[in-house]
Amino acid sequence: MEKMRLAVLPCRVLPKTSLTINAPLVGLLRLYVDRPQTNLPAGFVWAEFEPKIMAAEADARAEAKKRLKEREQLTYELDLPKQKMRLEKEIEEARRQLSLMEMLATNSVTTPSLLNLTGLRDRPLKPEALQRARDELKVMEENYRYLCATNLVVLGIDLPALRLELQRHQLEFERHEAQARFKMPFAGQLNLSLQVAEGVSEYPVNAGQELAVARDLGVILLRVPLADASWSTLAAEELSALLNLPDGTKLAAPFAFKKLERFQMREEVIYYFQFPAGECAAATRLVGADLSCELWLNLGQPARVVPKLALVLHQPAAFQNRRWQEGLAQFSPGARVLVEGQTDLAVVVPDNNATP
């Protein structure tokens, strides 16, 4: 034989992913599914807390966003141009006044009409007044440059701060919405933990209460704990699991992966086998079931599969300590145990030897 049944072991049929969903809030939960178990596409909203309140909050956020947009449009199209025009006129007037004042400061002969144009009544013109006029013009020009750079803080309007505040409220709403709304994380089966009553769609729930279990049935696995630690030294890719169903159907699953899992304060080597896509539909009906499966091994070379019981009955004295290699050497020199299974041995016998 080139393969042997290594053992018959307990196993459990599991989906690729099984996600338990608990309530993060206290409140009234509205269900959008009416069956305890149903298949749903990814992203389907199957329940949410207080949908009317959530809808009202969403409308408020949309209205706030609309008002801010209108405010920005009004500011950029009306307030900002108006303020620029006002500042331009003030700067022009301030420059004219400063030119006259500088002329007065350097001209010793000044007519009354020229004094009236500058608004000055007393002579001589003080240097402090001239410097103050220059400083005022500089401030006006600086404000104008800020406005041209659309720095609306000059107008007492901080649109970036308003946008950040609106964004903060939006993120807070989205976080609250994500907690209050339940979507299928993947295409699969939803099993409600609530006791669903016909015609009832709203149920009071407490924080932490289990609401449902979502299962991804696109991939079905077989979980098999190894009874013998020595089998973990075998080539895992040569292992496969076989389920024998009552109707005679056989479902084979090749090795997928293995990992250490903690069980009752100790760690065990757990092997997982994955059913081919064509057999997922049949295996889906067994999800959650505890069964027995046959663990098979590809030997890699031809060998004779001999029942342990047959060897013991043939030579009781040779195998009384269950030292199979030593016992074989007593009546079949050159024979060696290739693999020890639960009830059988894979034995390699030289061609010139007789069958044990």
Side-chain angles (χ1 to χ4, degrees), residues 95-139:
R95 286 173 178 170
R96 188 181 67 82
Q97 289 285 339
L98 180 61
S99 297
L100 289 174
M101 292 173 69
E102 289 175 341
M103 185 179 65
L104 287 174
T106 57
N107 194 344
S108 59
V109 180
T110 306
T111 63
S113 60
L114 188 57
L115 290 174
N116 290 335
L117 284 175
T118 62
L120 300 174
R121 293 292 183 265
D122 299 326
R123 296 184 62 212
L125 185 65
K126 296 181 180 180
E128 294 83 0
L130 184 61
Q131 185 60 41
R132 185 167 57 249
R134 289 171 178 164
D135 292 341
E136 289 175 354
L137 176 61
K138 183 178 180 181
V139 170

Short mmCIF file of all heavy atoms in Angstrom, two decimals, residues 95-139:
data_model
loop_
_atom_site.label_atom_id
_atom_site.label_comp_id
_atom_site.label_asym_id
_atom_site.label_seq_id
_atom_site.Cartn_x
_atom_site.Cartn_y
_atom_site.Cartn_z
N ARG A 95 -2.87 106.94 1.63
CA ARG A 95 -1.68 107.30 0.85
C ARG A 95 -1.73 108.76 0.41
O ARG A 95 -0.71 109.47 0.42
CB ARG A 95 -1.57 106.38 -0.36
CG ARG A 95 -1.09 104.96 -0.03
CD ARG A 95 -1.15 104.07 -1.25
NE ARG A 95 -0.65 102.72 -0.94
CZ ARG A 95 -0.76 101.69 -1.76
NH1 ARG A 95 -1.39 101.85 -2.94
NH2 ARG A 95 -0.28 100.52 -1.41
N ARG A 96 -2.93 109.20 0.01
CA ARG A 96 -3.07 110.60 -0.41
C ARG A 96 -2.80 111.54 0.75
O ARG A 96 -2.06 112.52 0.62
CB ARG A 96 -4.50 110.83 -0.96
CG ARG A 96 -4.70 112.20 -1.61
CD ARG A 96 -6.12 112.33 -2.10
NE ARG A 96 -7.05 112.35 -0.99
CZ ARG A 96 -7.32 113.44 -0.28
NH1 ARG A 96 -6.75 114.60 -0.57
NH2 ARG A 96 -8.19 113.40 0.71
N GLN A 97 -3.36 111.18 1.91
CA GLN A 97 -3.13 112.01 3.09
C GLN A 97 -1.65 112.02 3.48
O GLN A 97 -1.09 113.06 3.85
CB GLN A 97 -3.98 111.49 4.25
CG GLN A 97 -5.47 111.71 4.12
CD GLN A 97 -5.85 113.16 4.39
OE1 GLN A 97 -5.12 113.91 5.04
NE2 GLN A 97 -7.01 113.58 3.85
N LEU A 98 -1.01 110.86 3.41
CA LEU A 98 0.40 110.78 3.79
C LEU A 98 1.26 111.60 2.83
O LEU A 98 2.23 112.26 3.25
CB LEU A 98 0.85 109.32 3.80
CG LEU A 98 2.31 109.07 4.19
CD1 LEU A 98 2.59 109.58 5.61
CD2 LEU A 98 2.65 107.58 4.10
N SER A 99 0.94 111.58 1.54
CA SER A 99 1.71 112.36 0.57
C SER A 99 1.62 113.86 0.87
O SER A 99 2.62 114.60 0.81
CB SER A 99 1.21 112.08 -0.85
OG SER A 99 1.42 110.73 -1.19
N LEU A 100 0.41 114.29 1.21
CA LEU A 100 0.22 115.71 1.53
C LEU A 100 0.98 116.08 2.80
O LEU A 100 1.61 117.14 2.89
CB LEU A 100 -1.26 116.01 1.69
CG LEU A 100 -2.08 116.00 0.39
CD1 LEU A 100 -3.56 116.16 0.70
CD2 LEU A 100 -1.62 117.08 -0.56
N MET A 101 0.92 115.17 3.78
CA MET A 101 1.61 115.45 5.05
C MET A 101 3.11 115.50 4.84
O MET A 101 3.81 116.34 5.45
CB MET A 101 1.25 114.37 6.08
CG MET A 101 -0.21 114.45 6.51
SD MET A 101 -0.68 113.06 7.57
CE MET A 101 0.26 113.46 9.05
N GLU A 102 3.65 114.62 4.01
CA GLU A 102 5.08 114.65 3.74
C GLU A 102 5.47 115.92 2.99
O GLU A 102 6.55 116.50 3.22
CB GLU A 102 5.48 113.42 2.92
CG GLU A 102 5.43 112.13 3.73
CD GLU A 102 5.71 110.90 2.90
OE1 GLU A 102 5.59 110.99 1.67
OE2 GLU A 102 6.02 109.84 3.49
N MET A 103 4.58 116.37 2.11
CA MET A 103 4.86 117.61 1.39
C MET A 103 4.85 118.79 2.34
O MET A 103 5.70 119.68 2.26
CB MET A 103 3.82 117.81 0.27
CG MET A 103 4.11 119.04 -0.61
SD MET A 103 2.89 119.22 -1.91
CE MET A 103 1.43 119.56 -0.94
N LEU A 104 3.90 118.79 3.27
CA LEU A 104 3.84 119.87 4.26
C LEU A 104 5.08 119.87 5.15
O LEU A 104 5.58 120.92 5.57
CB LEU A 104 2.59 119.72 5.12
CG LEU A 104 1.27 120.07 4.45
CD1 LEU A 104 0.10 119.73 5.39
CD2 LEU A 104 1.23 121.55 4.10
N ALA A 105 5.55 118.65 5.46
CA ALA A 105 6.70 118.57 6.35
C ALA A 105 7.97 119.08 5.69
O ALA A 105 8.91 119.53 6.39
CB ALA A 105 6.90 117.12 6.80
N THR A 106 8.02 119.09 4.36
CA THR A 106 9.23 119.53 3.65
C THR A 106 9.07 120.88 2.99
O THR A 106 10.03 121.42 2.43
CB THR A 106 9.60 118.50 2.58
OG1 THR A 106 8.50 118.33 1.68
CG2 THR A 106 9.94 117.17 3.22
N ASN A 107 7.84 121.45 3.03
CA ASN A 107 7.57 122.74 2.39
C ASN A 107 7.34 123.79 3.46
O ASN A 107 6.44 123.65 4.30
CB ASN A 107 6.35 122.63 1.47
CG ASN A 107 6.26 123.83 0.53
OD1 ASN A 107 6.91 124.85 0.76
ND2 ASN A 107 5.47 123.67 -0.53
N SER A 108 8.11 124.84 3.42
CA SER A 108 7.98 125.87 4.46
C SER A 108 6.84 126.82 4.20
O SER A 108 6.35 127.49 5.10
CB SER A 108 9.30 126.67 4.55
OG SER A 108 9.60 127.26 3.31
N VAL A 109 6.39 126.89 2.94
CA VAL A 109 5.29 127.78 2.59
C VAL A 109 4.06 126.96 2.31
O VAL A 109 4.04 126.14 1.40
CB VAL A 109 5.64 128.66 1.37
CG1 VAL A 109 4.47 129.57 1.01
CG2 VAL A 109 6.90 129.45 1.63
N THR A 110 3.04 127.17 3.11
CA THR A 110 1.82 126.37 2.96
C THR A 110 0.63 127.28 2.94
O THR A 110 0.47 128.16 3.80
CB THR A 110 1.68 125.37 4.12
OG1 THR A 110 2.88 124.61 4.20
CG2 THR A 110 0.49 124.46 3.92
N THR A 111 -0.26 127.11 1.99
CA THR A 111 -1.47 127.94 1.87
C THR A 111 -2.56 127.36 2.74
O THR A 111 -2.57 126.15 3.05
CB THR A 111 -1.95 127.97 0.41
OG1 THR A 111 -2.31 126.65 0.03
CG2 THR A 111 -0.84 128.50 -0.51
N PRO A 112 -3.53 128.17 3.17
CA PRO A 112 -4.65 127.66 3.98
C PRO A 112 -5.45 126.58 3.26
O PRO A 112 -5.94 125.65 3.87
CB PRO A 112 -5.48 128.93 4.23
CG PRO A 112 -4.51 130.07 4.12
CD PRO A 112 -3.52 129.67 3.08
N SER A 113 -5.57 126.75 1.93
CA SER A 113 -6.34 125.73 1.20
C SER A 113 -5.68 124.36 1.27
O SER A 113 -6.34 123.33 1.33
CB SER A 113 -6.52 126.15 -0.27
OG SER A 113 -5.24 126.30 -0.88
N LEU A 114 -4.37 124.32 1.25
CA LEU A 114 -3.64 123.03 1.35
C LEU A 114 -3.81 122.41 2.72
O LEU A 114 -3.94 121.20 2.86
CB LEU A 114 -2.16 123.26 1.04
CG LEU A 114 -1.29 122.00 0.89
CD1 LEU A 114 -1.85 121.08 -0.20
CD2 LEU A 114 0.16 122.37 0.59
N LEU A 115 -3.84 123.28 3.75
CA LEU A 115 -4.07 122.79 5.10
C LEU A 115 -5.46 122.18 5.22
O LEU A 115 -5.67 121.17 5.89
CB LEU A 115 -3.89 123.91 6.12
CG LEU A 115 -2.47 124.41 6.34
CD1 LEU A 115 -2.46 125.62 7.27
CD2 LEU A 115 -1.61 123.30 6.92
N ASN A 116 -6.44 122.84 4.57
CA ASN A 116 -7.80 122.30 4.62
C ASN A 116 -7.88 120.93 3.94
O ASN A 116 -8.63 120.05 4.37
CB ASN A 116 -8.76 123.28 3.94
CG ASN A 116 -8.95 124.55 4.76
OD1 ASN A 116 -8.76 124.52 5.99
ND2 ASN A 116 -9.30 125.65 4.10
N LEU A 117 -7.13 120.69 2.87
CA LEU A 117 -7.15 119.41 2.19
C LEU A 117 -6.63 118.29 3.09
O LEU A 117 -7.09 117.15 3.03
CB LEU A 117 -6.29 119.47 0.92
CG LEU A 117 -6.92 120.21 -0.29
CD1 LEU A 117 -5.90 120.30 -1.42
CD2 LEU A 117 -8.19 119.52 -0.74
N THR A 118 -5.65 118.60 3.91
CA THR A 118 -5.08 117.58 4.79
C THR A 118 -5.84 117.42 6.07
O THR A 118 -5.60 116.47 6.83
CB THR A 118 -3.63 117.94 5.12
OG1 THR A 118 -3.62 119.20 5.83
CG2 THR A 118 -2.78 118.04 3.87
N GLY A 119 -6.75 118.34 6.34
CA GLY A 119 -7.48 118.27 7.60
C GLY A 119 -6.69 118.82 8.76
O GLY A 119 -7.08 118.67 9.93
N LEU A 120 -5.57 119.45 8.51
CA LEU A 120 -4.71 119.99 9.57
C LEU A 120 -5.04 121.46 9.79
O LEU A 120 -5.34 122.21 8.86
CB LEU A 120 -3.23 119.84 9.19
CG LEU A 120 -2.75 118.40 8.96
CD1 LEU A 120 -1.31 118.40 8.44
CD2 LEU A 120 -2.84 117.61 10.26
N ARG A 121 -4.96 121.92 11.02
CA ARG A 121 -5.27 123.31 11.36
C ARG A 121 -4.05 124.02 11.95
O ARG A 121 -3.96 125.23 11.89
CB ARG A 121 -6.42 123.36 12.38
CG ARG A 121 -7.74 122.87 11.80
CD ARG A 121 -8.26 123.85 10.74
NE ARG A 121 -9.55 123.43 10.23
CZ ARG A 121 -9.68 122.71 9.13
NH1 ARG A 121 -8.60 122.30 8.48
NH2 ARG A 121 -10.87 122.39 8.69
N ASP A 122 -3.17 123.20 12.53
CA ASP A 122 -2.03 123.82 13.22
C ASP A 122 -0.75 123.56 12.46
O ASP A 122 -0.56 122.50 11.86
CB ASP A 122 -1.89 123.27 14.65
CG ASP A 122 -3.13 123.58 15.47
OD1 ASP A 122 -3.71 124.63 15.25
OD2 ASP A 122 -3.48 122.71 16.32
N ARG A 123 0.09 124.57 12.53
CA ARG A 123 1.43 124.43 11.98
C ARG A 123 2.42 124.69 13.10
O ARG A 123 2.11 125.44 14.04
CB ARG A 123 1.65 125.44 10.86
CG ARG A 123 0.74 125.22 9.65
CD ARG A 123 1.09 126.20 8.54
NE ARG A 123 2.44 126.00 8.09
CZ ARG A 123 3.21 126.99 7.63
NH1 ARG A 123 2.77 128.24 7.64
NH2 ARG A 123 4.42 126.75 7.18
N PRO A 124 3.61 124.15 13.07
CA PRO A 124 4.12 123.23 12.04
C PRO A 124 3.61 121.81 12.24
O PRO A 124 3.10 121.49 13.30
CB PRO A 124 5.62 123.31 12.25
CG PRO A 124 5.78 123.56 13.71
CD PRO A 124 4.64 124.46 14.10
N LEU A 125 3.77 120.96 11.24
CA LEU A 125 3.37 119.55 11.31
C LEU A 125 4.34 118.79 12.20
O LEU A 125 5.55 118.83 11.99
CB LEU A 125 3.35 118.95 9.91
CG LEU A 125 2.84 117.52 9.81
CD1 LEU A 125 1.37 117.45 10.18
CD2 LEU A 125 3.05 117.00 8.39
N LYS A 126 3.78 118.09 13.21
CA LYS A 126 4.64 117.34 14.14
C LYS A 126 5.16 116.05 13.50
O LYS A 126 4.40 115.36 12.81
CB LYS A 126 3.88 117.01 15.41
CG LYS A 126 3.46 118.25 16.19
CD LYS A 126 2.71 117.84 17.47
CE LYS A 126 2.31 119.09 18.25
NZ LYS A 126 1.59 118.72 19.50
N PRO A 127 6.41 115.67 13.77
CA PRO A 127 6.95 114.41 13.22
C PRO A 127 6.19 113.18 13.72
O PRO A 127 6.06 112.19 13.02
CB PRO A 127 8.39 114.41 13.74
CG PRO A 127 8.71 115.83 14.02
CD PRO A 127 7.44 116.47 14.48
N GLU A 128 5.66 113.27 14.96
CA GLU A 128 4.92 112.12 15.50
C GLU A 128 3.67 111.84 14.69
O GLU A 128 3.29 110.68 14.45
CB GLU A 128 4.54 112.36 16.96
CG GLU A 128 5.71 112.44 17.92
CD GLU A 128 6.35 113.83 17.94
OE1 GLU A 128 5.86 114.71 17.19
OE2 GLU A 128 7.34 114.00 18.67
N ALA A 129 3.00 112.87 14.24
CA ALA A 129 1.79 112.68 13.43
C ALA A 129 2.12 112.03 12.10
O ALA A 129 1.39 111.17 11.58
CB ALA A 129 1.09 114.02 13.23
N LEU A 130 3.23 112.44 11.50
CA LEU A 130 3.64 111.87 10.23
C LEU A 130 3.98 110.39 10.38
O LEU A 130 3.58 109.55 9.55
CB LEU A 130 4.85 112.65 9.70
CG LEU A 130 5.37 112.23 8.32
CD1 LEU A 130 4.29 112.42 7.26
CD2 LEU A 130 6.63 113.03 7.97
N GLN A 131 4.68 110.03 11.46
CA GLN A 131 5.03 108.63 11.68
C GLN A 131 3.78 107.79 11.96
O GLN A 131 3.68 106.64 11.51
CB GLN A 131 6.01 108.51 12.86
CG GLN A 131 6.52 107.11 13.10
CD GLN A 131 7.26 106.56 11.90
OE1 GLN A 131 8.04 107.27 11.23
NE2 GLN A 131 7.02 105.29 11.57
N ARG A 132 2.84 108.38 12.69
CA ARG A 132 1.61 107.66 12.98
C ARG A 132 0.83 107.38 11.70
O ARG A 132 0.26 106.29 11.52
CB ARG A 132 0.77 108.45 13.97
CG ARG A 132 -0.50 107.70 14.41
CD ARG A 132 -1.16 108.37 15.61
NE ARG A 132 -1.48 109.76 15.34
CZ ARG A 132 -0.87 110.80 15.92
NH1 ARG A 132 0.13 110.59 16.78
NH2 ARG A 132 -1.23 112.04 15.62
N ALA A 133 0.83 108.31 10.79
CA ALA A 133 0.14 108.11 9.52
C ALA A 133 0.81 106.99 8.71
O ALA A 133 0.14 106.18 8.06
CB ALA A 133 0.12 109.40 8.72
N ARG A 134 2.14 106.99 8.74
CA ARG A 134 2.86 105.92 8.04
C ARG A 134 2.54 104.54 8.65
O ARG A 134 2.35 103.56 7.92
CB ARG A 134 4.36 106.18 8.11
CG ARG A 134 4.80 107.35 7.23
CD ARG A 134 6.25 107.71 7.51
NE ARG A 134 6.69 108.80 6.64
CZ ARG A 134 7.79 109.51 6.88
NH1 ARG A 134 8.54 109.25 7.96
NH2 ARG A 134 8.13 110.48 6.05
N ASP A 135 2.50 104.47 9.98
CA ASP A 135 2.20 103.19 10.65
C ASP A 135 0.78 102.72 10.33
O ASP A 135 0.55 101.52 10.11
CB ASP A 135 2.36 103.34 12.17
CG ASP A 135 3.82 103.57 12.56
OD1 ASP A 135 4.70 103.24 11.74
OD2 ASP A 135 4.07 104.05 13.68
N GLU A 136 -0.16 103.67 10.31
CA GLU A 136 -1.54 103.29 9.99
C GLU A 136 -1.65 102.75 8.56
O GLU A 136 -2.36 101.77 8.30
CB GLU A 136 -2.46 104.50 10.19
CG GLU A 136 -2.65 104.89 11.65
CD GLU A 136 -3.48 106.15 11.79
OE1 GLU A 136 -3.81 106.77 10.74
OE2 GLU A 136 -3.79 106.52 12.94
N LEU A 137 -0.95 103.37 7.64
CA LEU A 137 -0.96 102.89 6.25
C LEU A 137 -0.33 101.50 6.16
O LEU A 137 -0.83 100.63 5.42
CB LEU A 137 -0.21 103.87 5.36
CG LEU A 137 -0.06 103.46 3.89
CD1 LEU A 137 -1.43 103.31 3.23
CD2 LEU A 137 0.79 104.48 3.12
N LYS A 138 0.73 101.28 6.91
CA LYS A 138 1.39 99.97 6.88
C LYS A 138 0.46 98.87 7.39
O LYS A 138 0.41 97.76 6.81
CB LYS A 138 2.65 100.03 7.74
CG LYS A 138 3.47 98.76 7.72
CD LYS A 138 4.73 98.90 8.54
CE LYS A 138 5.55 97.61 8.53
NZ LYS A 138 6.79 97.72 9.34
N VAL A 139 -0.30 99.19 8.46
CA VAL A 139 -1.24 98.20 9.00
C VAL A 139 -2.34 97.90 7.98
O VAL A 139 -2.74 96.75 7.78
CB VAL A 139 -1.84 98.71 10.32
CG1 VAL A 139 -2.99 97.81 10.78
CG2 VAL A 139 -0.75 98.76 11.40
#
